[in-house]
């Protein structure tokens, strides 16, 4: 806990802003640059989203305070919830209070290590399918971000619905991505039109949501009819019982949780892997060390779950990629009441950004922050990283429920593909990080497939 200062600050430092539009043009223009530059104003700063003051938190201590108080004094911003609700309903990501607590308890067992361990085979096998495709595309350019999305979507569809990329599962993926792109458009507007207004944006969103509802309900109906335990997330959601009153989830709750896991569970990992390939292509010395580890431990065979603890460098590469390019570039919160934060009175309802990408690039916590150095995450160094300065999965009670799943998936994908391939950025192709819903390369990631 940060000590509460008796003296109350009435203003905070931050970038110069203009009347009414505030800092909106810079924030919407190049948000990543904007967030990286924000650190210069201090540990707690502000900028103006149009006329509205927004807080930015740049220190591990304050991040810890806000994230740990996320069930009491702070919650997710009303705007985020309103924008996401039509797609993922009242699932884990968007729910609050006692309802969230109950759902988290019901869903958590699905992520127990033994349970997710069973998914390791799927992750390695599906990565190997992509390896076969790449083997037939040596010297060719591929949109790596699409390859990664297709792969992580296949994995989540199989582990969630036991669906091999059926038409339905890919349609869920496509539609969720379309809906999230619409959400992102909404976030950039100062005054988004109300949902009832038949604007082009609202009509597209309505259509996407209707399609998603139909598809997911199809999976639920089929599973209820067969009454089979397929060992996937869906069976677990349908069987889960509240230990207090023995109640189960309604179809609507199962739909919301399934949609949440599908939405949160593939785009983030896909983006992380895309950046990892990019970084490896720019740092041959890191790639060489990774290849050495993979050759030594796997000697050309597919990795299994049991191999992962013998692949520490693979793990370090992914952690360092998530430091430089965190898929969730910020975590947002809002106070439920006026809160004294480091001597500043944060107003009820005011949006606060935990500047994840800013802290990940702060030389106080990561010396030579621009350098891609997986060694930072070697056990003897990782312990020196201040807690809450590195937040790729958030923190506190609302920390990402899928973090072990994601790390296992990322390591198995990398171990399978990097054994044989070393993609290179296509000549002349521009790579630029951009805030979409996640931190993505603005123009995608065109790479030439090369054999090692
Ligand atoms: C590299 C991959 C991933 C990253 C970077 C990531 C990042 C995050 C972050 C930062 C949060 C916290 C958001 C907040 O506090 O406002 C979060 C929450 C969440 N994530 Fe992930 N995530 C990843 C993978 C996954 C996977 C694979 C799943 C599920 C299969 C998943 C499901 C969720 C859910 C359900 C929540 C909400 C948890 C709650 O509030 O109780 N995520 N994720």
């Amino acid at each position: 806990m940060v000590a509460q200062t008796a003296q109350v600050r009435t203003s905070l430092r931050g970038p110069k802003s203009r009347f009414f539009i505030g800092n909106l043009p810079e924030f919407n223009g190049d948000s990543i640059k904007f967030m990286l530059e924000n650190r210069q104003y201090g540990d707690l700063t502000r900028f103006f989203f149009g006329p509205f003051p927004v807080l930015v938190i740049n220190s591990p201590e304050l991040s810890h305070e806000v994230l740990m108080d996320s069930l009491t004094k702070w919650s997710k911003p009303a705007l985020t919830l309103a924008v996401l609700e039509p797609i993922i309903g009242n699932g884990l990501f968007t729910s609050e209070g006692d309802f969230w607590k109950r759902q988290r308890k019901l869903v958590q067992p699905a992520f127990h290590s033994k349970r997710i361990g069973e998914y390791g085979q799927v992750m390695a096998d599906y990565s190997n399918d992509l390896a076969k495709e790449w083997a037939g595309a040596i010297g060719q350019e591929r949109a790596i971000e699409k390859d990664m999305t297709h792969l992580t979507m296949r994995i989540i569809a199989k582990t969630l619905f036991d669906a091999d990329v059926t038409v339905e599962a890919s349609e869920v993926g496509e539609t969720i991505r379309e809906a999230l792109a619409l959400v992102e458009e909404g976030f950039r507007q100062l005054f988004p039109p109300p949902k009832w207004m038949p604007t082009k944006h609202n009509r597209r969103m309505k259509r996407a949501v209707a399609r998603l509802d139909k598809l997911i309900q199809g999976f639920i109906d089929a599973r209820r009819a067969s009454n089979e335990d397929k060992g996937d997330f869906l069976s677990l959601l349908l069987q889960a019982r509240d230990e207090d009153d023995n109640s189960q989830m309604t179809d609507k709750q199962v739909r919301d949780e399934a949609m949440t896991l599908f939405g949160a569970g593939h785009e983030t990992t896909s983006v992380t892997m895309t950046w990892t390939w990019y970084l490896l292509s720019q740092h041959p010395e890191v790639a060489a060390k990774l290849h050495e580890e993979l050759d030594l431990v796997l000697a050309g065979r597919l990795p299994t779950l049991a191999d992962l603890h013998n692949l520490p460098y693979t793990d370090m590469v992914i952690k360092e990629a998530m430091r430089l390019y965190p898929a969730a570039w910020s975590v947002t919160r809002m106070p439920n009441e006026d809160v004294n934060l480091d001597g500043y009175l944060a107003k009820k309802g005011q949006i606060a950004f935990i500047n994840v990408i800013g802290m990940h690039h702060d030389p106080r916590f990561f010396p030579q922050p621009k350098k891609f150095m997986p060694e930072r995450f070697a056990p003897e160094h990782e312990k020196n990283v201040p807690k809450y300065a590195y937040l790729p999965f958030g923190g506190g009670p609302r920390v990402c429920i899928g973090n072990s799943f994601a790390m296992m998936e990322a390591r198995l994908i990398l171990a399978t593909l990097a054994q044989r391939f070393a993609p290179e950025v296509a000549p002349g192709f521009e790579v630029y990080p951009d805030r979409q819903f996640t931190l993505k390369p603005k123009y995608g990631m065109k790479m030439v497939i090369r054999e090692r």
Side-chain angles (χ1 to χ4, degrees):
M1 240 342 231
V2 167
Q4 303 278 298
T5 324
Q7 204 182 5
V8 173
R9 292 194 268 166
T10 51
S11 67
L12 294 172
R13 290 179 65 219
K16 272 206 188 81
S17 62
R18 277 169 280 171
F19 175 68
F20 193 71
I21 57 170
N23 302 103
L24 209 52
E26 303 96 278
F27 182 63
N28 279 349
D30 189 340
S31 324
I32 297 308
K33 182 165 170 271
F34 184 76
M35 294 308 277
L36 288 174
E37 286 172 358
N38 186 281
R39 286 181 288 118
Q40 65 184 292
Y41 303 107
D43 284 349
L44 180 63
T45 76
R46 60 100 192 106
F47 74 90
F48 286 91
F49 190 82
F52 309 113
V54 168
L55 298 173
V56 182
I57 295 166
N58 290 316
S59 88
E61 293 80 6
L62 295 175
S63 303
H64 176 253
E65 180 172 340
V66 169
L67 288 173
M68 289 312 283
D69 280 346
S70 280
L71 301 183
T72 48
K73 292 183 188 165
W74 297 81
S75 56
K76 298 206 176 180
L79 177 71
T80 313
L81 302 187
V83 171
L84 288 173
E85 198 273 340
I87 312 169
I88 51 178
N90 206 17
L92 265 187
F93 199 90
T94 34
S95 52
E96 293 283 350
D98 287 343
F99 185 77
W100 169 81
K101 250 187 224 162
R102 170 185 188 263
Q103 288 302 107
R104 180 102 188 188
K105 243 167 64 187
L106 284 177
V107 178
Q108 193 77 58
F111 287 91
H112 283 164
S113 51
K114 191 175 160 298
R115 187 101 196 175
I116 64 167
E118 290 162 16
Y119 302 146
Q121 185 78 39
V122 173
M123 293 167 179
D125 285 348
Y126 283 10
S127 304
N128 198 36
D129 290 344
L130 181 59
K132 288 180 197 151
E133 264 187 62
W134 281 10
I138 303 300
Q140 291 173 22
E141 281 181 11
R142 287 182 76 100
I144 292 286
E145 81 288 358
K146 290 210 176 105
D147 278 347
M148 292 300 112
T149 301
H150 186 70
L151 173 57
T152 56
M153 200 193 73
R154 278 192 79 193
I155 292 171
I156 195 75
K158 180 72 182 169
T159 51
L160 186 56
F161 302 125
D162 191 38
D164 278 306
V165 242
T166 54
V167 177
E168 288 83 0
S170 3
E171 211 183 326
V172 176
E174 289 301 327
T175 316
I176 285 193
R177 268 194 303 287
E178 184 189 335
L180 287 178
L182 289 168
V183 163
E184 180 50 40
E185 256 176 48
F187 275 137
R188 286 175 191 254
Q189 290 170 346
L190 193 50
F191 299 109
K195 277 190 222 128
W196 53 263
M197 227 184 231
T199 58
K200 194 173 162 209
H201 177 279
N202 284 351
R203 282 198 316 263
R204 278 175 63 201
M205 181 64 104
K206 222 169 145 186
R207 268 201 308 272
V209 170
R211 212 155 58 230
L212 281 175
D213 279 343
K214 193 163 165 255
L215 288 163
I216 304 269
Q217 194 60 48
F219 283 120
I220 296 176
D221 289 346
R223 189 63 57 85
R224 285 222 195 269
S226 76
N227 209 13
E228 222 182 309
D229 182 353
K230 301 255 194 169
D232 57 7
F233 282 120
L234 183 60
S235 286
L236 224 125
L237 296 176
L238 288 167
Q239 288 159 8
R241 279 183 190 277
D242 188 316
E243 59 189 38
D244 294 329
D245 60 10
N246 212 27
S247 62
Q248 288 184 289
M249 289 187 227
T250 60
D251 269 10
K252 163 84 173 88
Q253 281 159 17
V254 173
R255 173 248 180 243
D256 288 353
E257 295 304 356
M259 199 83 89
T260 298
L261 297 180
F262 204 104
H266 78 291
E267 190 70 9
T268 39
T269 316
S270 150
V271 166
T272 300
M273 293 317 300
T274 301
W275 287 118
T276 305
W277 291 118
Y278 169 67
L279 286 163
L280 286 171
S281 76
Q282 304 302 298
H283 297 86
E285 70 296 349
V286 173
K289 249 182 120 168
L290 173 70
H291 296 152
E292 195 185 319
E293 174 175 277
L294 296 174
D295 291 348
L296 189 75
V297 176
L298 302 173
R301 64 174 171 78
L302 274 190
T304 66
L305 193 63
D307 292 314
L308 291 183
H309 73 275
N310 291 321
L311 298 172
Y313 198 71
T314 311
D315 185 54
M316 285 150 59
V317 166
I318 292 159
K319 284 180 173 161
E320 176 69 343
M322 288 196 298
R323 180 186 71 81
L324 281 166
Y325 295 103
W329 54 278
S330 78
V331 170
T332 50
R333 292 289 185 269
M334 134 196 129
N336 297 319
E337 61 207 60
D338 291 359
V339 170
N340 183 337
L341 185 65
D342 197 26
Y344 178 80
L345 203 62
K347 288 270 185 273
K348 178 179 174 182
Q350 186 172 14
I351 292 180
F353 281 82
I354 294 178
N355 192 357
V356 173
I357 194 159
M359 286 193 293
H360 285 192
H361 285 75
D362 192 324
R364 289 180 295 174
F365 318 129
F366 301 98
Q368 297 181 273
K370 285 190 183 152
K371 268 191 120 173
F372 179 54
M373 289 197 297
E375 285 71 17
R376 298 176 201 276
F377 290 98
E380 65 276 24
H381 298 305
E382 191 177 13
K383 62 177 192 291
N384 300 325
V385 173
K387 238 181 146 215
Y388 287 80
Y390 180 66
L391 293 172
F393 294 108
R398 302 210 60 162
V399 67
C400 175
I401 200 170
N403 61 1
S404 310
F405 180 98
M407 283 308 294
M408 180 170 114
E409 181 180 11
R411 286 180 293 170
L412 288 169
I413 293 175
L414 188 60
T416 305
L417 289 166
Q419 273 198 91
R420 295 175 54 191
F421 307 98
E424 285 169 8
V425 177
F429 187 73
E430 193 187 346
V431 176
Y432 201 79
D434 185 34
R435 161 183 72 112
Q436 294 177 20
F437 193 67
T438 50
L439 177 66
K440 286 184 177 175
K442 190 165 188 166
Y443 312 106
M445 189 67 75
K446 204 171 269 180
M447 295 184 100
V448 180
I449 303 299
R450 299 257 182 250
E451 248 167 335
R452 280 179 43 206

